[in-house]
Amino acid sequence: MELILANPTGFCFGVTRAIKELENSLDTFGKVYSIGSPIHNPQEVKRLQDKGLVVVRSAEEIPHGSVVFVRAHGEMPEALKIVRQKALLIIDGTCPFVHNAQEKAKFLVDEGYHLFIVGDPEHPEVKAILGAVSNRGTVINDPGVINSYGSINRCGIISQTTQIKDLLGSVVSGLIPFCNEMRVYNTICKATLERQDAIRELASRVDGLIIIGGKNSANTSQLSKIADQQNIPRLWIEDSEELDPEWFSGKNTIGIAAGASTPDWLINKIKLILEHR
């Protein structure tokens, strides 16, 4: 069986930066708190917890005098206000591309546009973007609901950084008849687009695709959706225990792709197991 690895795959720039800063903090302070998972990969988070990371559900759980890491997805302003009152030190691991999306959202709202954020309303990145503009925006992940908004004088549109560009395009096209003026910022990060293009290209060369990444990872979910759109068998796993021997039947060439929050050590581990099947 031949294995072909997508290029690029695994950690993106923003996640690499966040993990490096978090590891340096753990080496220095021994214990660091994070509100929610610093990235969406359970195996990598477990490795960091073994080094001293403590994941809590809310800012209220942060002890006074602690070191706090702001996750790559960003954080709600209300939570940051509480953290500033309690923390000894705050380390901002927010991805620069997420910061950019927040700044674009603020600009559009300040300029009087009705802000639309293309993304998952339950994702922490989208919640942080919406929080950055004091909830003065509309999150949309289904172009089918556009008709319900009615006529809007000025529309401003940005995207969750890990969205599929086709969805952003569909929302923009759908809103055009309802907007007198439109301003669009494509805030999908380059690393996301590169990984999406890579899986499309890889799908044409293999008999099946294995996608490695957290089930809570938005960018990995998008890779899975793209694989399904290519009408190719795909297996989405978090770790090697989920490899299904029957899935490999009749497949001679297997592609391996991974989300932007999947560490190299995990990709290499699964690749090595497959090489010795």
Side-chain angles (χ1 to χ4, degrees), residues 28-269:
T28 301
F29 300 103
K31 180 182 286 188
V32 177
Y33 288 81
S34 170
I35 305 172
S37 295
I39 64 169
H40 281 164
N41 184 271
Q43 289 72 32
E44 180 68 0
V45 172
K46 174 62 168 60
R47 184 185 73 84
L48 293 166
Q49 286 176 316
D50 290 342
K51 291 172 67 70
L53 173 68
V54 180
V55 179
V56 298
R57 291 174 295 179
S58 68
E60 286 76 11
E61 296 178 53
I62 299 291
H64 284 276
S66 57
V67 177
V68 180
F69 180 80
V70 177
R71 57 189 171 180
H73 302 113
E75 191 50 78
M76 298 282 288
E78 295 87 349
L80 289 175
K81 182 178 179 180
I82 295 172
V83 169
R84 291 189 189 101
Q85 295 170 349
K86 301 171 77 174
L88 172 69
L89 177 66
I90 298 174
I91 298 147
D92 189 1
T94 306
C95 173
F97 290 102
V98 174
H99 269 308
N100 175 62
Q102 292 175 352
E103 291 304 313
K104 292 293 190 293
K106 291 176 186 175
F107 172 80
L108 289 168
V109 168
D110 289 345
E111 290 294 310
Y113 290 89
H114 182 110
L115 176 66
F116 288 93
I117 305 169
V118 181
D120 176 3
E122 298 304 315
H123 194 278
E125 177 192 324
V126 174
K127 289 182 177 180
I129 294 172
L130 199 56
V133 294
S134 302
N135 294 312
R136 294 175 294 169
T138 301
V139 181
I140 180 170
N141 60 3
D142 178 10
V145 305
I146 288 174
N147 290 343
S148 64
Y149 298 134
S151 179
I152 301 172
N153 186 35
R154 306 175 80 201
C155 296
I157 306 170
I158 67 164
S159 176
Q160 180 179 345
T161 61
T162 52
Q163 269 300 321
I164 295 177
K165 58 184 177 183
D166 291 347
L167 177 59
L168 175 59
S170 296
V171 170
V172 171
S173 298
L175 281 171
I176 285 175
F178 300 95
C179 298
N180 296 324
E181 178 186 339
M182 179 180 287
R183 189 158 190 165
V184 181
Y185 288 105
N186 179 3
T187 51
I188 302 175
C189 80
K190 182 180 178 182
T192 293
L193 295 173
E194 288 175 344
R195 281 155 180 76
Q196 292 175 2
D197 289 341
I199 203 167
R200 290 187 184 96
E201 189 276 332
L202 185 58
S204 65
R205 301 164 51 200
V206 297
D207 303 317
L209 271 170
I210 294 176
I211 300 171
I212 308 168
K215 297 296 173 65
N216 58 345
S217 165
N219 67 83
T220 308
S221 175
Q222 302 300 353
L223 295 183
S224 180
K225 289 178 183 177
I226 291 171
D228 290 342
Q229 292 168 359
Q230 306 304 306
N231 295 316
I232 186 166
R234 64 104 178 119
L235 184 64
W236 179 3
I237 64 172
E238 287 191 348
D239 209 338
S240 56
E241 290 81 4
E242 298 173 81
L243 291 171
D244 180 3
E246 294 185 3
W247 183 83
F248 293 90
S249 178
K251 299 179 179 68
N252 297 314
T253 306
I254 302 296
I256 300 175
S261 51
T262 306
D264 284 346
W265 66 262
L266 182 57
I267 298 170
N268 292 332
K269 169 190 169 183

